[in-house]
Amino acid sequence: MAGEITETGELYSPYVGLVYMFNLIVGTGALTMPKAFATAGWLVSLVLLVFLGFMSFVTTTFVMEAMAAANAQLRWKRMESHKEEEEDDSSSASDSDILIQDNYERAEKRPILSVQRRGTSNLFEITDRVEMGQMASMFFSKVGVNLFYFCIIIYLYGDLAIYAAAVPFSLMQVTCSASGNDSCGVEADTRYNDTDLCWGPIRRVDAYRIYLAVFTLLLGPFTFFDVQKTKYLQILTSLMRWIAFTIMIVLALVRIGHGQGEGHPPLADLSGVRNLFGVCVYSFMCQHSLPSLITPVSSKRHLTQLVFLDYVLILAFYSLLSFTAIFCFRGDSLLDMYTLNFARCDVVGLAAVRFFLGLFPVFTISTNFPIIAVTLRNNWKTLFHREGGTYPWVVDRVVFPTITLLPPVVVAFCTHDLESLVGITGAYAGTGIQYVIPAFLVYHCRKDTELAFGYGTVNKHRSPFRHTFWVGFVLLWAFSCFFFVTANIVLSETKL
């Protein structure tokens, strides 16, 4: 994500890519969705989930079209210069620095037919992994590039704050109890306050902050180094995630089937829409990682159809998870982190399963935190980088890691309201990444493609939503969301 052309990596089949994309999208946000569903009402939640899934699919096709356009311009640049015969050097910085200006000058001189004779359909093959930052530098102005990195950085800060709060919160919920000797975790009818005692004189909020300090001391140092060779660790966490999701869905269905379902969710409650919107946007987030997912796919002939199938499966999964949750548990008993509802003796009799589900976020999030932190640190470096310049050792190894780690830890220290953290991150930075950036990318890449290759040139990976109306609709929806969420927050605070 740090804005460059990177190695494509080992190729895999389209169906393996479908699985990878499914795993990327279905993450931490899914665990906060059941409570958001219960708060907003099942009908409103279902309609909004389907609509936001559709909007995410639209902007995903926008990003794929921009990736193809970026590949075409890089490939055409190499063909025209006759300086390189292999694609190994496609990651050189000079490609992007002079590309747009060079294309503008050549497009005025070269007839359209000469480009067509070279085979424009092959130009748009997605073979170079052009990251989002690189596409922004190719198609946006300097101001646009800075705004892009600002949006990415804010989103990653939100990600880290969610992770930094989720792990200590899960540990606190599992290990603390009102009586001090209850090993069953969270009770059905008990609503704990932060000031309740956890162990002896130590309050629950104190235990939370102790866990946060330990979490920061153990994982924070990774921010000062590079994280590599995480493939097998990610496979393990993905396996644990799907075991946990499957257990939760099966247990909820069993309880409902035995007539033990306690949930009676309302049809609609507009007061919960704000958080639901942010949670849903956050839960469909994948646009920033599409270059890493799409480029290694060996055959891209039916790429759009496969992505659409992925979104249908994800919608079905989110609906199954959330509906089983809201009909199994009362709305006021659903916790921010859904796994914690299964840390009850009356829900799960087997202690090993209770602790596995209760501590599941601890294992998975702890492996992702260093990766996200290093990504954020690298984006800070890219934002302030100047051509030919280098950072002093103190700035590179101390300042950037510190400004990466400190803000999310401070936010997590102040609050562990995961639903609000996910909602705000999704509603603001998530809206920028999922809607605004892809819309502007596809708009500018279409203009540049037409100027470079001539009017009527067809991008083989163009979005089915090719009319300019869709770009305007996405932007209108994004700005409406900004306004709605902000107005809702202001009104809520005014009532308080």
Side-chain angles (χ1 to χ4, degrees):
M1 202 190 300
E4 55 187 33
I5 306 169
T6 55
E7 293 182 6
T8 301
E10 183 179 350
L11 298 181
Y12 43 72
S13 71
Y15 294 102
V16 172
L18 183 145
V19 173
Y20 285 166
M21 187 172 184
F22 193 100
N23 280 333
L24 172 74
I25 295 177
V26 179
T28 311
L31 297 177
T32 62
M33 192 172 287
K35 183 178 180 181
F37 255 66
T39 305
W42 69 265
L43 182 59
V44 168
S45 299
L46 181 62
V47 171
L48 189 61
L49 180 69
V50 172
F51 180 72
L52 291 178
F54 169 74
M55 294 298 290
S56 179
F57 171 70
V58 170
T59 56
T60 294
T61 63
F62 284 174
V63 175
M64 292 193 299
E65 180 177 340
M67 288 167 56
N71 270 262
Q73 293 204 18
L74 290 171
R75 189 171 292 112
W76 184 52
K77 175 69 169 62
R78 291 196 295 267
M79 290 167 56
E80 289 294 307
S81 65
H82 294 291
K83 292 179 181 178
E84 300 167 341
E85 295 181 357
E86 298 181 0
E87 297 181 1
D88 295 338
D89 296 326
S90 63
S91 60
S92 67
S94 58
D95 276 352
S96 58
D97 292 337
I98 62 172
L99 177 60
I100 300 300
Q101 181 181 357
D102 185 71
N103 284 342
Y104 276 76
E105 294 173 355
R106 293 178 182 275
E108 297 298 324
K109 301 176 183 179
R110 181 172 295 281
I112 299 173
L113 290 177
S114 67
V115 177
Q116 292 174 340
R117 283 197 297 269
R118 293 176 180 266
T120 54
S121 62
N122 293 328
L123 283 174
F124 291 92
E125 287 288 351
I126 302 174
T127 55
D128 290 330
R129 193 168 80 182
V130 187
E131 300 290 355
M132 288 279 282
Q134 179 68 8
M135 285 190 281
S137 67
M138 292 174 67
F139 300 125
F140 292 166
S141 65
K142 183 63 177 176
V143 173
V145 172
N146 288 337
L147 289 175
F148 163 83
Y149 278 107
F150 176 77
C151 189
I152 288 286
I153 286 169
I154 295 299
Y155 173 76
L156 292 176
Y157 269 133
D159 244 0
L160 290 179
I162 292 165
Y163 288 2
V167 171
F169 180 73
S170 297
L171 289 169
M172 177 193 71
Q173 291 285 61
V174 170
T175 59
C176 290
S177 62
S179 62
N181 56 10
D182 179 18
S183 63
C184 288
V186 185
E187 287 301 306
D189 297 316
T190 304
R191 304 301 296 178
Y192 295 120
N193 294 317
D194 283 350
T195 54
D196 292 337
L197 297 179
C198 180
W199 320 301
I202 297 179
R203 300 173 302 168
R204 290 171 62 85
V205 67
D206 297 327
Y208 168 80
R209 288 170 178 169
I210 290 171
Y211 284 131
L212 175 61
V214 173
F215 176 83
T216 305
L217 290 174
L218 289 177
L219 296 180
F222 286 100
T223 311
F224 294 80
F225 307 100
D226 289 323
V227 180
Q228 297 176 339
K229 298 181 180 179
T230 62
K231 175 182 177 181
Y232 296 107
L233 191 60
Q234 294 303 311
I235 291 174
L236 176 62
T237 55
S238 294
L239 181 63
M240 291 176 60
R241 178 171 56 196
W242 287 111
I243 292 174
F245 279 132
T246 303
I247 291 174
M248 289 188 293
I249 291 172
V250 170
L251 287 175
L253 286 172
V254 168
R255 283 177 60 83
I256 294 171
H258 288 169
Q260 297 176 325
E262 304 168 350
H264 301 283
L267 280 176
D269 185 352
L270 296 182
S271 64
V273 170
R274 181 194 79 195
N275 273 343
L276 174 67
F277 168 76
V279 168
C280 289
V281 170
Y282 186 82
S283 299
F284 280 112
M285 187 65 65
C286 69
Q287 284 74 8
H288 57 297
S289 298
L290 282 176
S292 301
L293 285 172
I294 299 298
T295 308
V297 173
S298 57
S299 174
K300 302 178 179 70
R301 184 177 179 183
H302 302 294
L303 194 58
T304 302
Q305 293 90 323
L306 283 173
V307 171
F308 178 76
L309 175 61
D310 229 337
Y311 271 91
V312 171
L313 293 174
I314 291 165
L315 273 173
F317 172 77
Y318 282 161
S319 300
L320 179 61
L321 180 71
S322 299
F323 274 91
T324 54
I326 62 177
F327 284 101
C328 180
F329 300 101
R330 293 196 320 271
D332 60 352
S333 68
L334 277 169
L335 297 169
D336 287 349
M337 193 65 66
Y338 180 49
T339 51
L340 296 173
N341 283 93
F342 295 88
R344 289 164 35 183
C345 289
D346 62 321
V347 177
V348 182
L350 194 61
V353 176
R354 285 200 306 272
F355 280 103
F356 171 74
L357 291 177
L359 297 176
F360 157 71
V362 177
F363 303 132
T364 57
I365 291 175
S366 295
T367 59
N368 287 331
F369 186 89
I371 299 172
I372 301 296
V374 170
T375 303
L376 174 55
R377 184 200 67 193
N378 291 341
N379 275 278
W380 270 121
K381 291 182 180 181
T382 304
L383 178 62
F384 289 106
H385 180 69
R386 295 296 177 265
E387 189 65 31
T390 58
Y391 296 114
W393 185 89
V394 173
V395 174
D396 185 54
R397 291 297 181 180
V398 178
V399 175
F400 281 125
T402 301
I403 65 173
T404 296
L405 186 61
L406 198 58
V409 172
V410 170
V411 171
F413 183 85
C414 296
T415 180
H416 55 68
D417 186 350
L418 293 174
E419 188 183 15
S420 294
L421 285 175
V422 171
I424 292 172
T425 300
Y428 287 102
T431 297
I433 295 173
Q434 194 166 141
Y435 301 140
V436 178
I437 291 173
F440 279 113
L441 268 180
V442 79
Y443 177 76
H444 286 289
C445 88
R446 287 170 181 173
K447 289 180 63 178
D448 289 346
T449 298
E450 182 178 320
L451 190 59
F453 303 113
Y455 181 77
T457 303
V458 178
N459 184 335
K460 64 186 297 182
H461 293 293
R462 65 180 178 177
S463 169
F465 310 96
R466 59 182 65 94
H467 198 281
T468 309
F469 161 80
W470 287 104
V471 176
F473 180 71
V474 168
L475 291 174
L476 179 64
W477 168 249
F479 291 122
S480 300
C481 293
F482 277 123
F483 176 79
F484 168 76
V485 172
T486 304
N488 195 286
I489 291 174
V490 171
L491 290 175
S492 299
E493 294 297 323
T494 303
K495 290 180 181 178
L496 292 176

